[in-house]
Amino acid sequence: MPSSPAPRAIQATFDDLGTALHDVTFVVVDLETTGGSAQTDEITEIGAVKVRAGEQLGEFQTLVNPGLPIPAFISVLTGITDRMVASAPRIDTVLPAFLEFARDAVLVAHNAPFDVTFLRTNAQRLGLPWPGHQVVDTAHLARQLVTRDEAPNHKLSSLARLFGAATTPDHRALHDARATVDVLHALLGRVGNLGVHTLEELGSYSARVTTAQRRKRFLADGLPSAPGVYVFKDAEQRPLYVGTSVDIRRRVRTYFTSSEQRTRMAEMVGIAESVTPIVCATALEAQVRELRLIAEHKPRYNRRSRHPERSVWVKLTVEPFPRLSIVKEVRGDGAHYVGPFSGRQQAEQAVAAVHEVVPLRQCTQRLSPTKRVSACALAEMGRCGAPCTGGQTVEEYDAVVLRASAALCGDAEPFVRSLEGRMAHLAEQERYEDAGALRDRLLALVRGAARAQHLAPLAASPEIVAARRAESGGWEMVCVRYGRLAGSALSPRGTDPMATVESLAVSAEVVAAPTGPAPAALPEETEKILRWLETPGVRLVHLEGAWTCPVNGAGRSRDRLEPLVRAREQVSGFDEPHGRLLSRPPKAVRSGV
């Protein structure tokens, strides 16, 4: 019987190895829009750069007539006005040209889901087939490759500075696309050093699990599969990190897998020697316990809620000629308080916003209706009625105080509209830096005033008992006293929930009445409670007090303005939810495909 032929060695082809990154054509794109929703907002500018093997092959840039007015808020942020786009082509002309420019290329963008969603949505509206480009998100890639020691965040501006980009991003589409090209090349260099050389490898790349992470997997053993709080501790039992989960054991296990890609968490796991679980009756209780533990221990790997003591309030003083003052605590002196603000800078911006419209005095000395002093420069400029010189009586000055009080504690709409009008006027004059500064002041004011108006009713209520159906059946119960979570319980399925309510009311923490409008808890705790109370399905079982807010209060203006800001933060790759808003003047307008 003849022998079988020896098996042949099969050499892998280059196709089997994948597409080398230096052979891939990338089209780096950036959009400017009228807002953050691809369903209701429109594109106002497209900028793109085509590159391969580090060489630029072409550029695409055009303004786009959105067919609707550009909000003044957006004009301040981008520098793009209705006048600039009036003669620009519409999207039905621009998008086919862009798709042809990007044909057979890999799309790249910073926070790519935002840009790609707008492009795909408009293609669907126009009946154009979406090519199904492979997409690379430089923001996602940077989160895996750039540590906090190198850059404070993963915004495009921060990465451009880190990598020495030739173009500074400034919220104009082509400039931002050029900056993203330099960021992309720097990031590809880093993954190349990690052994990623093909497009297929880049698509599947994720941060590697460190040896320290793998070695600590045993810390999850024995933890309860229940909702609550978990605390990572070091060898001396000092808290390193506090978190919450609906399943403590399952959540802690993820810290030892590739699903955990935060660099600082990998470092924390390497130091941790134990994990302490705290099982809670409800998810709200877990969130509140997390806040309190972070505030108490200030774990170094928690970024948020570590320094509630830095909060400040804006106070409208009680004296013959009141003024605005920034203070660290609320006192029972009958004054109006607004806040708390997360820091002094935000409070100063809010005060400056009030002074933009209301001519309150800004001097710090205590004035007397009978004693005269010399006037300051503000009085000479007409920014103050000069009560110090007798230019205003107490009664006349009271009318000014009432306007400030309304803006802070009541109907804020007239005040906000006045500031918006000034901001729009500055934008029309192309004074974008001034308009941006005014925008920051306005937002600081409405955020602080809305926060105070929202917290005050709960902080003044001696007791609130509420319930919500639990996912597993039965009812989640909470007892809130003066804005503080005094207790929570779970009423099992098939039992009388009122018996649990009565037991909860008796066993809940006794809370002393605070000095309003401050709650008897950390403001962030009271806000978490409010969000829980306002979720669908929550039922008020007992309310002792009143739960009201001004009809035209600052919350209405905040809810109208903040979505526009968030849209720009997403486009900019803005990581921190409460960071400072950017104010930049527009660069020279570039138009045409």
Side-chain angles (χ1 to χ4, degrees):
M1 181 176 177
S3 61
S4 300
R8 293 183 303 153
I10 301 176
Q11 182 176 356
T13 66
F14 286 108
D15 289 337
D16 294 329
L17 298 175
T19 306
L21 288 174
H22 59 75
D23 291 331
V24 176
T25 300
F26 295 101
V27 168
V28 183
V29 63
D30 184 82
L31 306 181
E32 301 300 331
T33 66
T34 61
S37 171
Q39 301 300 323
T40 58
D41 295 304
E42 301 293 340
I43 297 171
T44 59
E45 187 177 31
I46 300 179
V49 183
K50 183 183 293 186
V51 294
R52 183 173 61 241
E55 179 184 354
Q56 181 175 314
L57 304 180
E59 288 187 341
F60 181 101
Q61 195 277 335
T62 180
L63 291 168
V64 181
N65 187 334
L68 51 83
I70 300 175
F73 224 67
I74 294 296
S75 292
V76 171
L77 288 161
T78 65
I80 300 175
T81 64
D82 292 329
R83 184 170 55 187
M84 291 168 57
V85 299
S87 59
R90 299 294 294 271
I91 192 64
D92 58 354
T93 300
V94 172
L95 188 55
F98 171 76
L99 293 178
E100 178 60 27
F101 178 80
R103 185 160 57 91
D104 298 329
V106 174
L107 286 185
V108 181
H110 200 72
N111 284 326
F114 179 90
D115 302 270
V116 172
T117 298
F118 265 91
L119 292 170
R120 185 188 294 114
T121 299
N122 278 276
Q124 292 173 347
R125 290 175 183 169
L126 298 173
L128 300 175
W130 180 249
H133 296 280
Q134 185 167 339
V135 177
V136 174
D137 185 353
T138 51
H140 175 73
L141 201 55
R143 292 187 189 102
Q144 303 177 55
L145 296 168
V146 178
T147 67
R148 293 285 178 173
D149 293 334
E150 298 177 284
N153 50 54
H154 299 107
K155 293 188 299 180
L156 178 58
S157 57
S158 298
L159 297 172
R161 283 193 297 270
L162 173 65
F163 295 127
T167 304
T168 301
D170 58 6
H171 296 300
R172 292 305 301 271
L174 184 58
H175 294 172
D176 287 8
R178 288 171 175 169
T180 305
V181 169
D182 291 338
V183 170
L184 172 67
H185 287 158
L187 294 174
L188 291 182
R190 291 196 172 192
V191 296
N193 293 333
L194 297 173
V196 175
H197 302 293
T198 68
L199 181 63
E200 291 73 17
E201 289 173 332
L202 182 65
S204 61
Y205 173 79
S206 65
R208 270 66 171 171
V209 181
T210 67
T211 302
Q213 283 176 288
R214 292 193 185 95
R215 194 169 56 237
K216 296 297 180 68
R217 284 181 292 185
F218 73 91
L219 295 179
D221 296 343
L223 294 178
S225 296
V229 179
Y230 54 90
V231 184
F232 280 90
K233 296 181 179 179
D234 63 14
E236 299 179 9
Q237 292 300 293
R238 292 175 299 192
L240 296 170
Y241 182 79
V242 180
T244 65
S245 177
V246 295
D247 188 321
I248 295 174
R249 184 171 184 270
R250 183 173 59 190
R251 178 67 183 98
V252 170
R253 290 180 68 180
T254 65
Y255 287 87
F256 316 116
T257 69
S258 60
S259 61
E260 178 51 73
Q261 298 181 3
R262 292 172 293 177
T263 303
R264 74 180 194 280
M265 290 295 102
E267 179 182 308
M268 183 274 295
V269 168
I271 301 172
E273 293 295 332
S274 64
V275 179
T276 299
I278 304 172
V279 176
C280 300
T282 63
L284 178 61
E285 180 186 344
Q287 294 170 10
V288 168
R289 283 182 177 269
E290 177 192 34
L291 278 177
R292 294 177 184 176
L293 287 169
I294 292 173
E296 178 184 357
H297 298 289
K298 295 178 173 46
R300 69 194 213 188
Y301 290 97
N302 283 96
R303 293 188 178 273
R304 300 179 186 175
S305 311
R306 290 178 58 193
H307 300 287
E309 68 278 1
R310 295 179 182 174
S311 297
V312 295
W313 298 74
V314 171
K315 172 183 177 179
L316 185 58
T317 61
V318 179
E319 52 185 314
F321 298 104
R323 61 185 178 86
L324 294 177
S325 175
I326 299 175
V327 297
K328 292 185 177 181
E329 62 179 355
V330 175
R331 297 180 179 178
D333 52 9
H336 291 298
Y337 289 86
V338 173
F341 294 86
S342 58
R344 190 173 185 87
Q345 182 181 9
Q346 290 74 27
E348 289 174 345
Q349 287 184 324
V351 169
V354 176
H355 288 153
E356 286 281 345
V357 178
V358 182
L360 282 174
R361 70 181 183 96
Q362 300 182 37
C363 54
T364 58
Q365 59 186 322
R366 187 174 183 87
L367 301 182
S368 168
T370 57
K371 185 179 179 180
R372 303 289 186 262
V373 296
S374 58
C376 64
L378 289 175
E380 297 173 359
M381 296 168 56
R383 297 285 301 275
C384 175
C388 54
T389 65
Q392 279 179 312
T393 65
V394 172
E395 291 75 19
E396 290 170 339
Y397 191 81
D398 279 345
V400 177
V401 174
L402 286 174
R403 291 174 59 196
S405 178
L408 296 172
C409 308
D411 186 352
E413 282 295 307
F415 183 89
V416 172
R417 294 297 182 187
S418 177
L419 281 178
E420 284 188 304
R422 292 190 182 196
M423 188 172 66
H425 180 65
L426 290 170
E428 290 173 359
Q429 295 180 325
E430 298 187 358
R431 295 169 58 186
Y432 294 105
E433 287 290 346
D434 293 336
L438 186 58
R439 176 203 65 215
D440 289 349
R441 295 171 186 170
L442 171 59
L443 280 170
L445 176 65
V446 297
R447 283 169 174 165
R451 196 178 191 192
Q453 293 169 7
H454 206 45
L455 293 178
L458 199 62
S461 297
E463 183 175 277
I464 295 176
V465 178
R468 181 178 70 177
R469 285 197 179 276
E471 293 183 3
S472 58
W475 292 87
E476 294 179 351
M477 306 281 189
V478 301
C479 177
V480 182
R481 290 172 177 166
Y482 297 111
R484 179 181 177 85
L485 183 65
S488 72
L490 182 64
S491 176
R493 178 188 297 177
T495 62
D496 181 7
M498 294 309 298
T500 304
V501 169
E502 294 174 3
S503 175
L504 177 61
V506 172
S507 61
E509 176 186 357
V510 176
V511 180
T515 301
L522 297 174
E524 194 172 349
E525 174 180 331
T526 306
E527 287 177 321
K528 284 189 178 293
I529 293 169
L530 275 168
R531 284 194 291 270
W532 188 88
L533 291 172
E534 292 172 348
T535 55
V538 172
R539 303 184 186 182
L540 288 181
V541 180
H542 171 69
L543 170 62
E544 183 181 346
W547 191 356
T548 61
C549 282
V551 174
N552 290 326
R556 180 177 180 181
S557 299
R558 178 203 59 195
D559 294 342
R560 177 168 54 83
L561 297 175
E562 281 196 330
L564 298 175
V565 180
R566 284 196 296 268
R568 292 308 309 166
E569 290 175 352
Q570 291 173 355
V571 176
S572 305
F574 205 91
D575 288 343
E576 288 75 21
H578 300 295
R580 186 178 183 277
L581 303 175
L582 301 177
S583 305
R584 292 193 176 96
K587 300 295 182 182
V589 177
R590 300 174 183 264
S591 60
V593 177

